[in-house]
Amino acid sequence: DVKVTQSSRYLVKRTGEKVFLECVQDMDHENMFWYRQDPGLGLRLIYFSYDVKMKEKGDIPEGYSVSREKKERFSLILESASTNQTSMYLCASTTGGVYEQYFGPGTRLTVT
Amino acid sequence: KNEVEQSPQNLTAQEGEFITINCSYSVGISALHWLQQHPGGGIVSLFMLSSGKKKHGRLIATINIQEKHSSLHITASHPRDSAVYICAVRSGNQFYFGTGTSLTVIP
């Protein structure tokens, strides 16, 4: 079974703090994604990566950066957290080609 | 811009009812996914479709590529089916998501 894990289920941070969200997958998937999910807006893509050290901006990259130094790990960084970044963050991975996308359990981040 | 549109947004049904959730999309796709998300839970994949129809237990998913439309049906609905159902399409390396249909099945 594919497993996608995220470093925290719940996180509370203060405005201005640097925040790291980590995602690890154990199936050697090439593609990894970071989404945020907000009520009424659905899932929105922040960044994705289709190979080690490769990254592409999604629909809402502002205020975020990412790092992929190893194939199994994709990190999302909030350089200076703001209250409008309070959200559910979901990581996903997939192989290339037409295959399923596997999701992590999500991290509910609250910025106060 | 909404590449994927779902309807209805909210749905309440009595236990045992037949349920249909619809999804329309506007981009060229290699596959369409139906996902399920329980409250507080992660997202699991129910189906991946590129043509025709798939069935898994009481769930049936169909896709019409020419009309760019897919439906998810639940037969003999049960309270444990209460969840948000999300339609997603894959276009190249990108995924586009609908905003979800929140289903509540009342005993």
Side-chain angles (χ1 to χ4, degrees):
Chain A
D1 266 0
V2 176
K3 201 163 188 183
V4 181
T5 57
Q6 293 184 226
S7 46
S8 306
R9 289 300 303 271
Y10 300 94
L11 208 50
V12 179
K13 295 291 182 181
R14 291 191 182 278
T15 302
E17 278 193 79
K18 191 168 186 175
V19 182
F20 293 87
L21 302 181
E22 267 207 335
C23 175
V24 178
Q25 50 92 4
D26 65 358
M27 283 301 290
D28 204 37
H29 284 171
E30 293 89 358
N31 302 326
M32 296 187 75
F33 305 80
W34 274 108
Y35 299 95
R36 64 177 282 178
Q37 186 181 33
D38 301 288
L41 295 177
L43 283 151
R44 292 181 291 166
L45 180 65
I46 305 171
Y47 269 95
F48 68 98
S49 167
Y50 48 87
D51 204 348
V52 175
K53 297 192 187 291
M54 304 294 285
K55 60 186 178 187
E56 292 281 342
K57 291 180 181 179
D59 298 323
I60 50 163
E62 296 79 20
Y64 303 95
S65 62
V66 290
S67 171
R68 191 155 181 215
E69 296 296 317
K70 293 185 178 181
K71 193 173 186 180
E72 67 271 17
R73 193 178 299 266
F74 191 34
S75 300
L76 179 70
I77 303 149
L78 287 66
E79 295 290 341
S80 177
S82 63
T83 54
N84 62 15
Q85 292 178 310
T86 291
S87 186
M88 169 71 91
Y89 289 88
L90 288 149
C91 173
S93 75
T94 184
T95 61
V98 185
Y99 291 106
E100 289 183 49
Q101 196 172 46
Y102 294 90
F103 285 86
T107 296
R108 188 164 293 283
L109 172 67
T110 302
V111 182
T112 61
Chain B
K1 56 173 186 177
N2 289 319
E3 289 84 358
V4 180
E5 299 275 0
Q6 276 185 248
S7 63
Q9 284 192 329
N10 296 285
L11 185 55
T12 301
Q14 289 290 136
E15 184 172 356
E17 281 186 23
F18 180 86
I19 287 161
T20 296
I21 300 170
N22 294 299
C23 174
S24 296
Y25 55 91
S26 58
V27 294
I29 70 168
S30 52
L32 181 142
H33 302 253
W34 281 103
L35 311 169
Q36 182 191 56
Q37 185 176 33
H38 283 281
I43 294 172
V44 297
S45 178
L46 298 174
F47 293 103
M48 185 183 69
L49 293 162
S50 52
S51 64
K53 177 177 171 178
K54 284 191 177 179
K55 186 175 190 291
H56 182 69
R58 295 179 294 104
L59 301 177
I60 303 165
T62 63
I63 187 168
N64 185 318
I65 297 291
Q66 286 74 29
E67 294 186 6
K68 295 191 172 182
H69 181 268
S70 175
S71 294
L72 176 69
H73 305 287
I74 305 175
T75 61
S77 59
H78 191 276
R80 65 174 173 266
D81 297 326
S82 298
V84 175
Y85 293 84
I86 301 168
C87 174
V89 299
R90 181 166 189 165
S91 183
N93 270 333
Q94 284 259 36
F95 283 83
Y96 300 96
F97 296 84
T99 53
T101 294
S102 179
L103 171 66
T104 303
V105 181
I106 300 168

